[in-house]
Amino acid sequence: MSFLLSTLRRRLSLKRLQRRGGPRPKSGNGFRRFWSWTALIVGGLYFFLPLIGTLEFSLRMRRGEYSLDAYRSVLEDPRFQQTLGYSVIMALATIVVGILIVVPTAYWVRLRLPRWRPVIEFITLLPLVIPAIVVVFGYIRLFNTSSFLPMTGTTMGTNILLMFGYVMLALPYTYRAVDTGLSTIDVRSLTEAAQSLGASWVTIIGRLILPNVFGAVMSGAFLSFAIVIGEFTMASLLNRPAFGPYMQILGANRAYEPAALAVIAFAITWACMGLLSLVTRITRVGRAGK
């Protein structure tokens, strides 16, 4: 999908240059243009045809005609509302805790520990290497009811444990997004200027650094949201009423409702991406206005 978006952006930027009287592409680029459009069309078909098929199948619950019965059945299911609400709350908690951990860490590494960047980057990549099932079994072993910290013995403790597991799963994406945002600003000069005015570290991070990397933070936040909404392994093994296990249970027992649920989950994901784009654009407009 990212390849399709990058190809489309190149095509749009080329058209804008041509409208402004910019350099015209050479005749030898016709072959390259053909293959660019071919890749774009093939990728679009690969991406949209399964979605169209899923959407069409989800509308066939009523025999002989199209209907929204599957969507009505899913939306009226109390488990759908309960699990989606639980996952949204967990996603918001994950985003807040992730920002509180990642932003100061990435800022401090940029400011005072630049030689440690490769080590920190390696640590943040570990969740991509270590399977979630290994991590959750480690949690169960370390924090069961007979351990020194019996977090799995209470509902609140299990929720906190699951939330930190989600923070770990989203760490590679959150850290990369924030670190990329910090690379676009002069962290050292901003910090020295703020300290010369008597600002504390909390003020520097909260009122100076965070607003300047707000777009990057939002990118990591919505990636975290998408991860939490669809996560299955940790929530299932910790026996929490999350959206991922609900989708699996529904898919194992129904025919048309899972297709409708897949379309709904896809719509939620794209709504988050649209909200990300809107927030980022508003932030840029606000900076330009200042």
Side-chain angles (χ1 to χ4, degrees):
M1 186 61 188
S2 60
F3 171 74
L4 295 177
L5 293 176
S6 61
T7 304
L8 187 58
R9 289 194 189 102
R10 286 198 299 267
R11 299 298 304 170
L12 292 175
S13 61
L14 181 59
K15 289 183 178 179
R16 289 172 182 168
L17 284 174
Q18 292 176 356
R19 290 175 183 173
R20 296 173 182 175
R24 298 280 178 175
K26 298 180 180 179
S27 58
N29 290 338
F31 189 71
R32 185 182 303 173
R33 187 186 306 116
F34 168 77
W35 282 111
S36 297
W37 279 108
T38 302
L40 182 63
I41 293 172
V42 172
L45 291 175
Y46 178 82
F47 181 78
F48 285 106
L49 282 181
L51 180 62
I52 294 172
T54 303
L55 176 62
E56 195 270 343
F57 181 77
S58 68
L59 299 174
R60 287 184 172 272
M61 187 173 182
R62 189 179 301 175
R63 183 168 299 179
E65 60 178 315
Y66 290 120
S67 68
L68 297 175
D69 292 347
Y71 293 89
R72 187 179 301 108
S73 176
V74 169
L75 295 176
E76 291 178 353
D77 188 354
R79 293 179 301 171
F80 169 79
Q81 303 168 12
Q82 177 188 3
T83 56
L84 182 61
Y86 176 85
S87 291
V88 168
I89 293 174
M90 291 298 293
L92 295 177
T94 300
I95 290 170
V96 172
V97 174
I99 291 174
L100 292 177
I101 293 175
V102 170
V103 173
T105 302
Y107 164 72
W108 192 254
V109 170
R110 281 272 176 182
L111 181 66
R112 295 293 175 85
L113 303 172
R115 294 184 179 180
W116 283 80
R117 280 192 64 201
V119 178
I120 301 299
E121 290 179 355
F122 174 77
I123 293 174
T124 59
L125 288 175
L126 288 179
L128 298 177
V129 180
I130 303 174
I133 191 171
V134 175
V135 176
V136 73
F137 271 118
Y139 284 170
I140 294 173
R141 182 68 182 271
L142 287 174
F143 303 108
N144 57 34
T145 53
S146 60
S147 68
F148 69 98
L149 190 60
M151 297 187 68
T152 59
T154 62
T155 301
M156 180 59 69
T158 307
N159 290 337
I160 294 174
L161 194 63
L162 180 61
M163 184 266 297
F164 278 106
Y166 287 158
V167 171
M168 181 210 66
L169 291 179
L171 184 61
Y173 312 100
T174 307
Y175 184 85
R176 284 295 179 285
V178 173
D179 187 62
T180 302
L182 289 172
S183 66
T184 62
I185 61 176
D186 191 346
V187 174
R188 187 174 299 276
S189 297
L190 289 174
T191 302
E192 292 176 354
Q195 287 180 331
S196 66
L197 296 174
S200 64
W201 289 111
V202 176
T203 303
I204 293 173
I205 295 176
R207 301 186 62 179
L208 186 63
I209 301 300
L210 189 58
N212 279 282
V213 296
F214 183 74
V217 170
M218 292 302 295
S219 299
F222 283 109
L223 286 172
S224 302
F225 184 89
I227 291 171
V228 173
I229 289 296
E231 202 281 328
F232 168 77
T233 304
M234 286 189 171
S236 177
L237 292 177
L238 289 175
N239 195 26
R240 302 313 303 142
F243 192 60
Y246 169 73
M247 289 193 293
Q248 190 275 333
I249 294 172
L250 193 67
N253 297 283
R254 302 289 182 87
Y256 299 97
E257 287 86 346
L261 189 60
V263 175
I264 293 173
F266 179 83
I268 292 174
T269 303
W270 275 91
C272 291
M273 293 178 63
L275 185 59
L276 167 63
S277 177
L278 179 62
V279 170
T280 304
R281 184 174 301 179
I282 292 175
T283 304
R284 289 177 180 174
V285 171
R287 288 182 187 174
K290 293 179 180 180

